[in-house]
Amino acid sequence: MAYTSLKSAPRAFDQHKRLIVVQAASVMAIVLLLFSKPFLSEGSNGHELMETVGFGLVLVCFLGRLWSILYVGGKKNNELVVAGPFSMTRNPLYFFSTVGAAGIGLMFGSVLAAVMLGLASYLVFRFTARKEAEYLAGKFGASYAAYANRTPRFWPNPLLYHDEAQWLFSTMALRNTFRDGLYFLALFPVIEAVEYLRLSGDLPTLFTVY
């Protein structure tokens, strides 16, 4: 691990901002979708399959974020982590969050919502990752440059995976990530409740989403 620190290195990017943006976008999408109906009829095989795939993606997001935080929790911006999920992509937390955002759209039964939420998340995290890369390059120098040259910025390459025999993790970071992940999982019963209210006629339908 590299611990070189340069006083002239840029300031670390505020990590909390990116999750707030994604959560706010998800809430706005949910409010909009409250008054819409999916193109595929609720209860149809196609709709149920799409919901199941969406929930699967949200579950991958939840577990993937927990897996990633085991490696980087309490170390980010202080230690160059290159093992586990960070050996496949420099930004596994951002990748899994984008997967979860797309999953939310599919849980609504909408491919369009999945694409829009996934794309919005990707753009937010791409900007954040670029800022973080500038900071890490200044802090770790040649060590980070070598890591960046062999590791994709966003999309994972499983062929690059390697791990270490032992790893220390932060229980506080794990707890905070678990709490944030519950936000994604909590959307499933919310979406089911919206479908029930729509089918019962208690929610007006203003438009159809595909």
Side-chain angles (χ1 to χ4, degrees):
M1 299 296 176
Y3 288 90
T4 305
S5 178
L6 302 177
K7 291 183 179 180
S8 60
R11 294 179 59 188
F13 193 78
D14 186 349
Q15 308 296 327
H16 192 57
K17 290 180 179 178
R18 85 281 193 268
L19 190 58
I20 292 176
V21 171
V22 173
Q23 289 177 342
S26 298
V27 169
M28 287 189 291
I30 291 168
V31 171
L32 184 63
L33 292 169
L34 281 175
F35 304 102
S36 68
K37 68 175 182 178
F39 175 71
L40 294 174
S41 301
E42 290 153 331
S44 67
N45 292 335
H47 180 83
E48 293 301 314
L49 176 60
M50 195 176 297
E51 268 194 349
T52 301
V53 172
F55 182 74
L57 293 180
V58 170
L59 191 59
V60 167
C61 164
F62 179 71
L63 296 176
R65 284 178 54 81
L66 289 179
W67 180 38
S68 301
I69 211 66
L70 287 175
Y71 287 78
V72 78
K75 302 182 182 74
K76 195 161 191 177
N77 298 325
N78 296 314
E79 183 176 324
L80 186 58
V81 179
V82 299
F86 290 87
S87 65
M88 299 185 294
T89 168
R90 283 178 273 161
N91 297 282
L93 283 163
Y94 298 165
F95 169 75
F96 286 119
S97 295
T98 300
V99 168
I104 291 172
L106 289 180
M107 284 199 300
F108 269 102
S110 169
V111 173
L112 179 60
V115 170
M116 292 182 66
L117 282 173
L119 181 60
S121 299
Y122 172 75
L123 293 176
V124 169
F125 291 137
R126 181 179 175 86
F127 169 78
T128 307
R130 186 169 64 248
K131 291 294 184 181
E132 287 184 349
E134 293 173 1
Y135 170 79
L136 294 172
K139 186 176 181 69
F140 297 108
S143 297
Y144 181 78
Y147 171 60
N149 285 336
R150 68 176 183 268
T151 312
R153 175 181 292 181
F154 190 80
W155 302 107
N157 181 355
L159 297 178
L160 299 175
Y161 181 81
H162 67 269
D163 209 341
E164 297 187 4
Q166 294 182 339
W167 199 264
L168 297 177
F169 66 92
S170 166
T171 55
M172 180 177 294
L174 184 63
R175 183 172 63 249
N176 291 339
T177 302
F178 180 83
R179 181 196 61 209
D180 291 340
L182 291 178
Y183 166 84
F184 288 96
L185 293 179
L187 290 176
F188 184 70
V190 170
I191 292 171
E192 290 298 308
V194 168
E195 286 187 0
Y196 174 80
L197 292 173
R198 184 163 51 233
L199 290 172
S200 65
D202 293 319
L203 276 178
T205 300
L206 303 181
F207 55 92
T208 300
V209 290
Y210 292 85

